[in-house]
Amino acid sequence: MPVWFTSDTHFGDSRVLRIDKRPYPDLAAHDAALIAAWSAVVKPEDEVWHLGDFALGPSDTSIAEILAYLPGTKHLIVGNNDGPGTLRASDWTSVSHYAELTVDDRRLVLCHYAFRTWNGIGRGAINLHGHSHNRLKPIPRQYDVGIDAQGPAPVSLAAILASRRKRTAVHKSVEP
């Protein structure tokens, strides 16, 4: 069963168009594009870990409808913008502030927030987070899985790890 990661979708939150300069003409287009991107990669039997800030602004009913429409077995790691409507939505398989799991033989530590250090860091554990909207300087074994860092669709661990290698290769190619 494939496992996917994402964060900071901010469904219904008009601030992301202005603050994060997401490339959508309006909030309806933003939300529709994120739903389409999710649905294009995630199958009903897949597992998705959403690392917080799912929605801010829509009614509890709208939040539940968006979540129910999205395929996959969905887990929420709570973010600072996840209100009662998001937390109570019945389509979450789990809701927690922190999780540790193993995917593709890699130990992962999941939280909405980036850590400076985390459990298992000295034994190769990887910290996946959101919250920073691709504004933090990367450190070894730590990855922002938010849509501002990884794109509008949930991503696999392999794609997350490759994203750092691609950035490093680009930076090396432009250095004198």
Side-chain angles (χ1 to χ4, degrees):
M1 157 181 62
V3 180
W4 305 95
F5 301 92
T6 192
S7 180
D8 299 289
T9 47
H10 285 270
F11 288 108
D13 185 354
S14 60
R15 298 173 308 157
V16 296
L17 300 178
R18 179 177 35 83
I19 296 170
D20 297 314
K21 297 177 178 51
R22 292 187 182 170
Y24 306 100
D26 55 41
L27 195 53
H30 169 270
D31 290 359
L34 268 56
I35 290 168
W38 179 308
S39 300
V41 299
V42 178
K43 305 300 177 233
E45 64 276 7
D46 295 352
E47 185 174 3
V48 180
W49 287 86
H50 192 295
L51 304 190
D53 288 0
F54 179 74
L56 181 66
S59 68
D60 292 0
T61 301
S62 293
I63 291 170
E65 288 171 353
I66 292 167
L67 185 61
Y69 184 78
L70 297 170
T73 299
K74 299 167 288 272
H75 303 272
L76 176 67
I77 300 296
V78 178
N80 58 301
N81 288 303
D82 290 319
T86 296
L87 301 179
R88 285 193 304 258
S90 63
D91 274 270
W92 296 116
T93 299
S94 68
V95 175
S96 61
H97 289 270
Y98 176 92
E100 294 185 20
L101 60 141
T102 300
V103 174
D104 300 336
D105 297 322
R106 303 297 297 261
R107 186 167 170 204
L108 306 177
V109 173
L110 312 179
C111 188
H112 180 62
Y113 307 101
F115 293 135
R116 187 162 174 164
T117 186
W118 54 90
N119 187 30
I121 188 172
R123 294 182 303 281
I126 297 169
N127 171 222
L128 301 183
H129 67 88
H131 186 66
S132 63
H133 296 260
N134 201 31
R135 291 189 182 105
L136 293 179
K137 180 180 179 188
I139 65 172
R141 293 191 303 277
Q142 184 178 66
Y143 297 85
D144 182 344
V145 301
I147 67 167
D148 298 301
Q150 300 290 338
V155 290
S156 67
L157 181 59
I160 293 164
L161 298 175
S163 71
R164 180 75 51 80
R165 290 189 294 270
K166 286 178 193 170
R167 265 188 241 138
T168 301
V170 168
H171 290 300
K172 284 182 181 177
S173 68
V174 297
E175 290 176 359

